[in-house]
PDB file of all heavy atoms in Angstrom:
ATOM      1  N   TRP A  18      79.154 161.154 266.674  1.00  0.00           N
ATOM      2  CA  TRP A  18      80.294 162.008 267.029  1.00  0.00           C
ATOM      3  C   TRP A  18      79.974 162.857 268.255  1.00  0.00           C
ATOM      4  O   TRP A  18      80.817 163.041 269.143  1.00  0.00           O
ATOM      5  CB  TRP A  18      80.646 162.925 265.856  1.00  0.00           C
ATOM      6  CG  TRP A  18      81.323 162.220 264.714  1.00  0.00           C
ATOM      7  CD1 TRP A  18      81.928 161.003 264.721  1.00  0.00           C
ATOM      8  CD2 TRP A  18      81.465 162.721 263.372  1.00  0.00           C
ATOM      9  NE1 TRP A  18      82.447 160.704 263.486  1.00  0.00           N
ATOM     10  CE2 TRP A  18      82.178 161.736 262.637  1.00  0.00           C
ATOM     11  CE3 TRP A  18      81.065 163.884 262.724  1.00  0.00           C
ATOM     12  CZ2 TRP A  18      82.491 161.905 261.288  1.00  0.00           C
ATOM     13  CZ3 TRP A  18      81.377 164.055 261.377  1.00  0.00           C
ATOM     14  CH2 TRP A  18      82.076 163.065 260.668  1.00  0.00           C
ATOM     15  N   ILE A  19      78.766 163.382 268.313  1.00  0.00           N
ATOM     16  CA  ILE A  19      78.382 164.266 269.419  1.00  0.00           C
ATOM     17  C   ILE A  19      78.206 163.481 270.722  1.00  0.00           C
ATOM     18  O   ILE A  19      78.611 163.932 271.803  1.00  0.00           O
ATOM     19  CB  ILE A  19      77.082 165.035 269.069  1.00  0.00           C
ATOM     20  CG1 ILE A  19      77.355 166.009 267.905  1.00  0.00           C
ATOM     21  CG2 ILE A  19      76.548 165.808 270.283  1.00  0.00           C
ATOM     22  CD1 ILE A  19      76.115 166.581 267.262  1.00  0.00           C
ATOM     23  N   HIS A  20      77.645 162.298 270.632  1.00  0.00           N
ATOM     24  CA  HIS A  20      77.415 161.494 271.834  1.00  0.00           C
ATOM     25  C   HIS A  20      78.705 160.894 272.390  1.00  0.00           C
ATOM     26  O   HIS A  20      78.804 160.622 273.584  1.00  0.00           O
ATOM     27  CB  HIS A  20      76.416 160.358 271.531  1.00  0.00           C
ATOM     28  CG  HIS A  20      75.021 160.849 271.339  1.00  0.00           C
ATOM     29  ND1 HIS A  20      74.221 160.459 270.285  1.00  0.00           N
ATOM     30  CD2 HIS A  20      74.275 161.727 272.070  1.00  0.00           C
ATOM     31  CE1 HIS A  20      73.037 161.069 270.381  1.00  0.00           C
ATOM     32  NE2 HIS A  20      73.052 161.840 271.449  1.00  0.00           N
ATOM     33  N   ARG A  21      79.698 160.674 271.506  1.00  0.00           N
ATOM     34  CA  ARG A  21      80.989 160.121 271.950  1.00  0.00           C
ATOM     35  C   ARG A  21      82.110 161.057 271.497  1.00  0.00           C
ATOM     36  O   ARG A  21      82.828 160.766 270.531  1.00  0.00           O
ATOM     37  CB  ARG A  21      81.202 158.722 271.379  1.00  0.00           C
ATOM     38  CG  ARG A  21      80.266 157.681 271.939  1.00  0.00           C
ATOM     39  CD  ARG A  21      80.686 156.272 271.532  1.00  0.00           C
ATOM     40  NE  ARG A  21      80.585 156.068 270.093  1.00  0.00           N
ATOM     41  CZ  ARG A  21      79.464 155.740 269.455  1.00  0.00           C
ATOM     42  NH1 ARG A  21      78.350 155.587 270.122  1.00  0.00           N
ATOM     43  NH2 ARG A  21      79.459 155.558 268.149  1.00  0.00           N
ATOM     44  N   PRO A  22      82.278 162.168 272.195  1.00  0.00           N
ATOM     45  CA  PRO A  22      83.217 163.203 271.746  1.00  0.00           C
ATOM     46  C   PRO A  22      84.688 162.911 272.065  1.00  0.00           C
ATOM     47  O   PRO A  22      85.323 163.612 272.860  1.00  0.00           O
ATOM     48  CB  PRO A  22      82.733 164.449 272.490  1.00  0.00           C
ATOM     49  CG  PRO A  22      82.137 163.921 273.746  1.00  0.00           C
ATOM     50  CD  PRO A  22      81.539 162.588 273.404  1.00  0.00           C
ATOM     51  N   ASP A  23      85.224 161.842 271.453  1.00  0.00           N
ATOM     52  CA  ASP A  23      86.655 161.584 271.601  1.00  0.00           C
ATOM     53  C   ASP A  23      87.412 162.537 270.671  1.00  0.00           C
ATOM     54  O   ASP A  23      86.798 163.252 269.874  1.00  0.00           O
ATOM     55  CB  ASP A  23      86.973 160.124 271.290  1.00  0.00           C
ATOM     56  CG  ASP A  23      86.472 159.701 269.914  1.00  0.00           C
ATOM     57  OD1 ASP A  23      86.554 160.503 268.958  1.00  0.00           O
ATOM     58  OD2 ASP A  23      85.979 158.563 269.785  1.00  0.00           O
ATOM     59  N   PRO A  24      88.749 162.610 270.753  1.00  0.00           N
ATOM     60  CA  PRO A  24      89.510 163.565 269.933  1.00  0.00           C
ATOM     61  C   PRO A  24      89.212 163.475 268.433  1.00  0.00           C
ATOM     62  O   PRO A  24      89.108 164.505 267.755  1.00  0.00           O
ATOM     63  CB  PRO A  24      90.972 163.192 270.232  1.00  0.00           C
ATOM     64  CG  PRO A  24      90.928 162.638 271.627  1.00  0.00           C
ATOM     65  CD  PRO A  24      89.630 161.901 271.706  1.00  0.00           C
ATOM     66  N   GLU A  25      89.038 162.255 267.917  1.00  0.00           N
ATOM     67  CA  GLU A  25      88.765 162.094 266.488  1.00  0.00           C
ATOM     68  C   GLU A  25      87.389 162.658 266.138  1.00  0.00           C
ATOM     69  O   GLU A  25      87.233 163.353 265.129  1.00  0.00           O
ATOM     70  CB  GLU A  25      88.849 160.622 266.101  1.00  0.00           C
ATOM     71  CG  GLU A  25      88.715 160.397 264.586  1.00  0.00           C
ATOM     72  CD  GLU A  25      88.873 158.939 264.196  1.00  0.00           C
ATOM     73  OE1 GLU A  25      88.002 158.121 264.577  1.00  0.00           O
ATOM     74  OE2 GLU A  25      89.867 158.613 263.535  1.00  0.00           O
ATOM     75  N   SER A  26      86.412 162.388 266.984  1.00  0.00           N
ATOM     76  CA  SER A  26      85.058 162.890 266.740  1.00  0.00           C
ATOM     77  C   SER A  26      85.020 164.418 266.780  1.00  0.00           C
ATOM     78  O   SER A  26      84.349 165.054 265.963  1.00  0.00           O
ATOM     79  CB  SER A  26      84.082 162.319 267.778  1.00  0.00           C
ATOM     80  OG  SER A  26      83.984 160.920 267.660  1.00  0.00           O
ATOM     81  N   ILE A  27      85.731 164.994 267.744  1.00  0.00           N
ATOM     82  CA  ILE A  27      85.791 166.464 267.846  1.00  0.00           C
ATOM     83  C   ILE A  27      86.412 167.051 266.588  1.00  0.00           C
ATOM     84  O   ILE A  27      85.931 168.051 266.031  1.00  0.00           O
ATOM     85  CB  ILE A  27      86.595 166.898 269.091  1.00  0.00           C
ATOM     86  CG1 ILE A  27      85.834 166.535 270.371  1.00  0.00           C
ATOM     87  CG2 ILE A  27      86.893 168.387 269.058  1.00  0.00           C
ATOM     88  CD1 ILE A  27      84.557 167.306 270.592  1.00  0.00           C
ATOM     89  N   MET A  28      87.490 166.440 266.110  1.00  0.00           N
ATOM     90  CA  MET A  28      88.153 166.923 264.901  1.00  0.00           C
ATOM     91  C   MET A  28      87.207 166.842 263.702  1.00  0.00           C
ATOM     92  O   MET A  28      87.071 167.797 262.932  1.00  0.00           O
ATOM     93  CB  MET A  28      89.413 166.110 264.619  1.00  0.00           C
ATOM     94  CG  MET A  28      90.133 166.529 263.341  1.00  0.00           C
ATOM     95  SD  MET A  28      91.607 165.531 262.997  1.00  0.00           S
ATOM     96  CE  MET A  28      90.858 163.959 262.544  1.00  0.00           C
ATOM     97  N   TYR A  29      86.532 165.706 263.552  1.00  0.00           N
ATOM     98  CA  TYR A  29      85.653 165.509 262.403  1.00  0.00           C
ATOM     99  C   TYR A  29      84.466 166.467 262.413  1.00  0.00           C
ATOM    100  O   TYR A  29      84.118 167.050 261.393  1.00  0.00           O
ATOM    101  CB  TYR A  29      85.154 164.061 262.350  1.00  0.00           C
ATOM    102  CG  TYR A  29      86.194 163.064 261.881  1.00  0.00           C
ATOM    103  CD1 TYR A  29      86.081 161.708 262.193  1.00  0.00           C
ATOM    104  CD2 TYR A  29      87.289 163.478 261.119  1.00  0.00           C
ATOM    105  CE1 TYR A  29      87.032 160.784 261.761  1.00  0.00           C
ATOM    106  CE2 TYR A  29      88.239 162.565 260.692  1.00  0.00           C
ATOM    107  CZ  TYR A  29      88.114 161.229 261.013  1.00  0.00           C
ATOM    108  OH  TYR A  29      89.055 160.327 260.581  1.00  0.00           O
ATOM    109  N   ILE A  30      83.845 166.638 263.571  1.00  0.00           N
ATOM    110  CA  ILE A  30      82.666 167.503 263.597  1.00  0.00           C
ATOM    111  C   ILE A  30      83.066 168.971 263.461  1.00  0.00           C
ATOM    112  O   ILE A  30      82.309 169.784 262.922  1.00  0.00           O
ATOM    113  CB  ILE A  30      81.805 167.273 264.863  1.00  0.00           C
ATOM    114  CG1 ILE A  30      80.361 167.725 264.567  1.00  0.00           C
ATOM    115  CG2 ILE A  30      82.358 168.016 266.068  1.00  0.00           C
ATOM    116  CD1 ILE A  30      79.336 167.133 265.477  1.00  0.00           C
ATOM    117  N   SER A  31      84.263 169.306 263.917  1.00  0.00           N
ATOM    118  CA  SER A  31      84.764 170.671 263.732  1.00  0.00           C
ATOM    119  C   SER A  31      84.923 170.976 262.245  1.00  0.00           C
ATOM    120  O   SER A  31      84.549 172.044 261.770  1.00  0.00           O
ATOM    121  CB  SER A  31      86.102 170.854 264.448  1.00  0.00           C
ATOM    122  OG  SER A  31      85.955 170.723 265.848  1.00  0.00           O
ATOM    123  N   ILE A  32      85.485 170.018 261.520  1.00  0.00           N
ATOM    124  CA  ILE A  32      85.661 170.183 260.076  1.00  0.00           C
ATOM    125  C   ILE A  32      84.314 170.204 259.367  1.00  0.00           C
ATOM    126  O   ILE A  32      84.049 171.046 258.510  1.00  0.00           O
ATOM    127  CB  ILE A  32      86.540 169.046 259.509  1.00  0.00           C
ATOM    128  CG1 ILE A  32      87.963 169.139 260.053  1.00  0.00           C
ATOM    129  CG2 ILE A  32      86.554 169.074 257.977  1.00  0.00           C
ATOM    130  CD1 ILE A  32      88.819 167.917 259.777  1.00  0.00           C
ATOM    131  N   PHE A  33      83.408 169.285 259.800  1.00  0.00           N
ATOM    132  CA  PHE A  33      82.133 169.142 259.102  1.00  0.00           C
ATOM    133  C   PHE A  33      81.205 170.329 259.352  1.00  0.00           C
ATOM    134  O   PHE A  33      80.443 170.725 258.459  1.00  0.00           O
ATOM    135  CB  PHE A  33      81.430 167.847 259.542  1.00  0.00           C
ATOM    136  CG  PHE A  33      80.263 167.482 258.680  1.00  0.00           C
ATOM    137  CD1 PHE A  33      80.443 166.717 257.535  1.00  0.00           C
ATOM    138  CD2 PHE A  33      78.982 167.924 258.983  1.00  0.00           C
ATOM    139  CE1 PHE A  33      79.375 166.399 256.710  1.00  0.00           C
ATOM    140  CE2 PHE A  33      77.903 167.605 258.178  1.00  0.00           C
ATOM    141  CZ  PHE A  33      78.110 166.836 257.031  1.00  0.00           C
ATOM    142  N   PHE A  34      81.259 170.911 260.545  1.00  0.00           N
ATOM    143  CA  PHE A  34      80.335 172.000 260.881  1.00  0.00           C
ATOM    144  C   PHE A  34      80.511 173.208 259.957  1.00  0.00           C
ATOM    145  O   PHE A  34      79.595 173.996 259.784  1.00  0.00           O
ATOM    146  CB  PHE A  34      80.507 172.424 262.343  1.00  0.00           C
ATOM    147  CG  PHE A  34      79.562 173.533 262.745  1.00  0.00           C
ATOM    148  CD1 PHE A  34      78.191 173.308 262.774  1.00  0.00           C
ATOM    149  CD2 PHE A  34      80.044 174.786 263.079  1.00  0.00           C
ATOM    150  CE1 PHE A  34      77.313 174.331 263.135  1.00  0.00           C
ATOM    151  CE2 PHE A  34      79.178 175.811 263.441  1.00  0.00           C
ATOM    152  CZ  PHE A  34      77.810 175.574 263.478  1.00  0.00           C
ATOM    153  N   ASP A  35      81.686 173.340 259.345  1.00  0.00           N
ATOM    154  CA  ASP A  35      81.946 174.458 258.438  1.00  0.00           C
ATOM    155  C   ASP A  35      81.467 174.168 257.018  1.00  0.00           C
ATOM    156  O   ASP A  35      81.853 174.865 256.074  1.00  0.00           O
ATOM    157  CB  ASP A  35      83.451 174.778 258.417  1.00  0.00           C
ATOM    158  CG  ASP A  35      83.973 175.181 259.789  1.00  0.00           C
ATOM    159  OD1 ASP A  35      83.173 175.658 260.605  1.00  0.00           O
ATOM    160  OD2 ASP A  35      85.178 175.010 260.042  1.00  0.00           O
ATOM    161  N   LEU A  36      80.634 173.134 256.842  1.00  0.00           N
ATOM    162  CA  LEU A  36      80.223 172.718 255.499  1.00  0.00           C
ATOM    163  C   LEU A  36      79.490 173.820 254.741  1.00  0.00           C
ATOM    164  O   LEU A  36      78.745 174.610 255.321  1.00  0.00           O
ATOM    165  CB  LEU A  36      79.368 171.462 255.551  1.00  0.00           C
ATOM    166  CG  LEU A  36      77.851 171.578 255.826  1.00  0.00           C
ATOM    167  CD1 LEU A  36      77.162 170.285 255.434  1.00  0.00           C
ATOM    168  CD2 LEU A  36      77.568 171.927 257.273  1.00  0.00           C
ATOM    169  N   ARG A  37      79.741 173.841 253.440  1.00  0.00           N
ATOM    170  CA  ARG A  37      79.096 174.800 252.534  1.00  0.00           C
ATOM    171  C   ARG A  37      78.848 174.097 251.209  1.00  0.00           C
ATOM    172  O   ARG A  37      79.747 173.519 250.621  1.00  0.00           O
ATOM    173  CB  ARG A  37      80.024 176.015 252.345  1.00  0.00           C
ATOM    174  CG  ARG A  37      79.475 177.085 251.426  1.00  0.00           C
ATOM    175  CD  ARG A  37      80.367 178.335 251.493  1.00  0.00           C
ATOM    176  NE  ARG A  37      81.747 178.060 251.132  1.00  0.00           N
ATOM    177  CZ  ARG A  37      82.205 178.031 249.870  1.00  0.00           C
ATOM    178  NH1 ARG A  37      81.382 178.230 248.850  1.00  0.00           N
ATOM    179  NH2 ARG A  37      83.484 177.790 249.625  1.00  0.00           N
ATOM    180  N   SER A  38      77.614 174.136 250.741  1.00  0.00           N
ATOM    181  CA  SER A  38      77.263 173.455 249.502  1.00  0.00           C
ATOM    182  C   SER A  38      77.722 174.293 248.310  1.00  0.00           C
ATOM    183  O   SER A  38      77.420 175.482 248.229  1.00  0.00           O
ATOM    184  CB  SER A  38      75.755 173.241 249.424  1.00  0.00           C
ATOM    185  OG  SER A  38      75.393 172.643 248.191  1.00  0.00           O
ATOM    186  N   VAL A  39      78.470 173.659 247.384  1.00  0.00           N
ATOM    187  CA  VAL A  39      78.918 174.380 246.187  1.00  0.00           C
ATOM    188  C   VAL A  39      78.229 173.859 244.927  1.00  0.00           C
ATOM    189  O   VAL A  39      78.335 174.460 243.855  1.00  0.00           O
ATOM    190  CB  VAL A  39      80.453 174.298 246.003  1.00  0.00           C
ATOM    191  CG1 VAL A  39      81.165 175.027 247.118  1.00  0.00           C
ATOM    192  CG2 VAL A  39      80.936 172.863 245.896  1.00  0.00           C
ATOM    193  N   TYR A  40      77.518 172.733 245.068  1.00  0.00           N
ATOM    194  CA  TYR A  40      76.807 172.181 243.914  1.00  0.00           C
ATOM    195  C   TYR A  40      75.687 171.269 244.404  1.00  0.00           C
ATOM    196  O   TYR A  40      75.867 170.494 245.334  1.00  0.00           O
ATOM    197  CB  TYR A  40      77.756 171.368 243.028  1.00  0.00           C
ATOM    198  CG  TYR A  40      77.147 170.952 241.698  1.00  0.00           C
ATOM    199  CD1 TYR A  40      77.375 171.712 240.543  1.00  0.00           C
ATOM    200  CD2 TYR A  40      76.339 169.827 241.594  1.00  0.00           C
ATOM    201  CE1 TYR A  40      76.802 171.348 239.328  1.00  0.00           C
ATOM    202  CE2 TYR A  40      75.769 169.461 240.388  1.00  0.00           C
ATOM    203  CZ  TYR A  40      76.000 170.229 239.255  1.00  0.00           C
ATOM    204  OH  TYR A  40      75.435 169.876 238.057  1.00  0.00           O
ATOM    205  N   GLY A  41      74.521 171.386 243.769  1.00  0.00           N
ATOM    206  CA  GLY A  41      73.440 170.462 244.062  1.00  0.00           C
ATOM    207  C   GLY A  41      72.436 170.987 245.062  1.00  0.00           C
ATOM    208  O   GLY A  41      72.218 172.201 245.186  1.00  0.00           O
ATOM    209  N   ASN A  42      71.848 170.076 245.821  1.00  0.00           N
ATOM    210  CA  ASN A  42      70.744 170.367 246.731  1.00  0.00           C
ATOM    211  C   ASN A  42      71.246 170.997 248.030  1.00  0.00           C
ATOM    212  O   ASN A  42      71.711 170.310 248.932  1.00  0.00           O
ATOM    213  CB  ASN A  42      69.976 169.074 247.034  1.00  0.00           C
ATOM    214  CG  ASN A  42      68.658 169.336 247.723  1.00  0.00           C
ATOM    215  OD1 ASN A  42      68.461 170.371 248.340  1.00  0.00           O
ATOM    216  ND2 ASN A  42      67.748 168.385 247.612  1.00  0.00           N
ATOM    217  N   ASP A  43      71.096 172.316 248.123  1.00  0.00           N
ATOM    218  CA  ASP A  43      71.606 173.047 249.282  1.00  0.00           C
ATOM    219  C   ASP A  43      70.813 172.729 250.547  1.00  0.00           C
ATOM    220  O   ASP A  43      71.297 172.939 251.664  1.00  0.00           O
ATOM    221  CB  ASP A  43      71.559 174.557 249.000  1.00  0.00           C
ATOM    222  CG  ASP A  43      72.217 175.370 250.092  1.00  0.00           C
ATOM    223  OD1 ASP A  43      73.306 174.991 250.550  1.00  0.00           O
ATOM    224  OD2 ASP A  43      71.626 176.391 250.513  1.00  0.00           O
ATOM    225  N   ASN A  44      69.602 172.204 250.411  1.00  0.00           N
ATOM    226  CA  ASN A  44      68.781 171.898 251.587  1.00  0.00           C
ATOM    227  C   ASN A  44      69.430 170.847 252.483  1.00  0.00           C
ATOM    228  O   ASN A  44      69.235 170.845 253.695  1.00  0.00           O
ATOM    229  CB  ASN A  44      67.397 171.399 251.155  1.00  0.00           C
ATOM    230  CG  ASN A  44      66.564 172.515 250.541  1.00  0.00           C
ATOM    231  OD1 ASN A  44      66.713 173.678 250.919  1.00  0.00           O
ATOM    232  ND2 ASN A  44      65.707 172.170 249.591  1.00  0.00           N
TER     233      ASN A  44
END
């Protein structure tokens, strides 16, 4: 996604960067 920052990749990484673990291995 980072190497090919087309609109879809930008949208996906924007959503993913806000990730927060709510269960399991937080590492």
Side-chain angles (χ1 to χ4, degrees):
W18 287 343
I19 293 167
H20 288 133
R21 292 190 295 277
D23 55 38
E25 186 177 66
S26 296
I27 292 293
M28 178 181 71
Y29 285 158
I30 204 159
S31 295
I32 294 168
F33 192 88
F34 181 66
D35 299 335
L36 84 164
R37 180 171 58 84
S38 177
V39 294
Y40 189 96
N42 192 338
D43 186 44
N44 290 329

